[in-house]
Amino acid sequence: MDSSNPLGEFLRARREQVRPEDVGISGGGLRRVPGLRREEVAMLAGISSDYYLRLEQGRDRNPSVQVLDALAKVLRLDADATAYMISLTQERSAQARPMSRRRGARRQEPVSSSIRQLIDGWTGNPAYVQNKFTDVLAVNALATALSPNYAVGVNLLRAVFLDPSEQALRRDWDELTEEGVATLRAHVGPDVDDPRLVDLVGELSVRSDRFRHLWGRHDVALRRGRVSRLTHPQVGDIDLPSNKFAIGGSQDQILVVFHAEPGSRSAELLGLLGSLTASAEETTRENSDHQQ
């Protein structure tokens, strides 16, 4: 992760994913690089090869909107990836950022008591609060019943990549990991030297080949909602749509809420899991009362 040249790193990674035939270029002959060559990107974008080289090498960090739009079309970027690329040109250099920001991660803002009360009151909807790095900040009992990794202090991306039990739980693990990495990149934007991000990416890159591959692709996607396909050890296969909501007035806090389609088998199983959770909580309270 080259925090000194995020735009160049992004351009290089994305051009390597575009096949010549996708943009009308004959792929005949031996190609020593995957995807498009630099001069091909420049030609298709209507800029000089020398100028494009300067962009990739970080010697020019202020391309015009017209150039960025042209590059987005050549690289086949969607709206999220295009917005991300533009943000990379608007960030100040690392040397110009406040020293306090570079020396250590910001202290995480606590979740408000009203949000905690809200999710605790949802006995039929698993819910939790995370930050942009997927650290769990607050969670209700039904979410923890879905997975023990839905717990305060757990990093969900780390759990998904490194915890075998979490991989066994996820029938859609391949899709989830791909989306998770693309969403992380979208959320952090150009702030690639944030200490929390550097630590997380560094650990996962060393310990997970799949994470290292996905992070190197520079895919960007804002995941607004998805269907989690789980094989739960207590209730079996269950499919739960979820939605994400930014918590206004907070420091990048995101509320994630699951639900089941009304009348579905998954709704029945979620209700069963809720009953099991309530019974377990009641037993815990009774044991605690007896010990006092």
Side-chain angles (χ1 to χ4, degrees):
M1 184 168 54
D2 183 2
S3 62
S4 66
N5 184 24
L7 176 62
E9 189 177 79
F10 178 80
L11 291 173
R12 182 166 53 256
R14 295 310 296 252
R15 73 174 167 84
E16 290 177 352
Q17 297 176 48
V18 180
R19 297 179 303 173
E21 54 267 32
D22 291 337
V23 291
I25 295 176
S26 173
L30 180 64
R31 301 179 68 90
R32 291 181 294 178
V33 295
L36 297 178
R37 302 183 179 101
R38 291 191 183 97
E39 57 269 23
E40 291 170 339
V41 175
M43 176 190 68
L44 292 168
I47 60 179
S48 72
S49 297
D50 179 67
Y51 180 57
Y52 180 76
L53 178 62
R54 294 204 306 273
L55 291 176
E56 273 206 8
Q57 293 180 340
R59 292 186 287 126
D60 190 313
R61 299 170 185 262
N62 297 289
S64 67
V65 173
Q66 291 81 3
V67 167
L68 292 172
D69 283 342
L71 290 172
K73 292 177 182 177
V74 173
L75 299 176
R76 304 168 68 86
L77 305 182
D78 61 15
D80 288 340
T82 299
Y84 174 82
M85 179 177 65
I86 292 173
S87 76
L88 297 180
T89 70
Q90 297 171 342
E91 181 74 355
R92 294 176 297 165
S93 68
Q95 290 78 14
R97 296 177 195 168
M99 288 298 295
S100 59
R101 181 151 158 220
R102 283 179 284 151
R103 284 175 179 167
R106 292 173 296 178
R107 183 177 180 180
Q108 178 61 51
E109 176 187 22
V111 177
S112 69
S113 59
S114 63
I115 292 293
R116 292 178 185 275
Q117 292 166 7
L118 177 68
I119 65 175
D120 284 342
W122 289 339
T123 57
N125 293 93
Y128 64 92
V129 178
Q130 66 169 63
N131 60 17
K132 64 183 180 180
F133 304 113
T134 75
D135 297 315
V136 178
L137 308 177
V139 62
N140 67 10
L142 192 53
T144 302
L146 278 181
S147 168
N149 282 312
Y150 289 130
V152 174
V154 172
N155 180 269
L156 294 177
L157 198 64
R158 184 181 186 279
V160 165
F161 277 99
L162 302 182
D163 186 343
S165 64
E166 193 69 23
Q167 183 170 353
L169 175 70
R170 307 283 179 171
R171 305 196 323 267
D172 56 351
W173 187 81
D174 287 343
E175 175 187 344
L176 176 63
T177 52
E178 185 173 333
E179 291 180 1
V181 174
T183 301
L184 174 65
R185 191 176 284 281
H187 281 316
V188 300
D191 200 11
V192 294
D193 63 346
D194 185 290
R196 178 72 185 99
L197 179 68
V198 171
D199 289 346
L200 179 62
V201 170
E203 178 187 11
L204 292 179
S205 295
V206 169
R207 300 183 63 185
S208 169
D209 291 340
R210 178 161 175 79
F211 177 86
R212 186 167 58 252
H213 165 72
L214 292 173
W215 186 253
R217 286 175 54 89
H218 285 249
D219 291 336
V220 179
L222 285 170
R223 192 174 71 196
R224 299 168 179 88
R226 71 183 313 272
V227 177
S228 292
R229 307 189 188 281
L230 312 176
T231 299
H232 194 276
Q234 289 180 285
V235 300
D237 289 354
I238 182 170
D239 298 341
L240 299 176
S242 65
N243 293 95
K244 291 186 172 184
F245 306 93
I247 299 177
S250 70
Q251 185 187 90
D252 301 319
Q253 292 181 2
I254 301 165
L255 173 61
V256 183
V257 187
F258 296 89
H259 69 279
E261 295 291 340
S264 66
R265 174 63 174 166
S266 290
E268 180 182 345
L269 295 176
L270 185 60
L272 174 59
L273 184 60
S275 297
L276 294 173
T277 302
S279 297
E281 289 182 326
E282 180 63 27
T283 300
T284 300
R285 282 194 296 269
E286 291 176 355
N287 290 339
S288 178
D289 290 341
H290 290 156
Q291 292 173 1
Q292 291 179 357

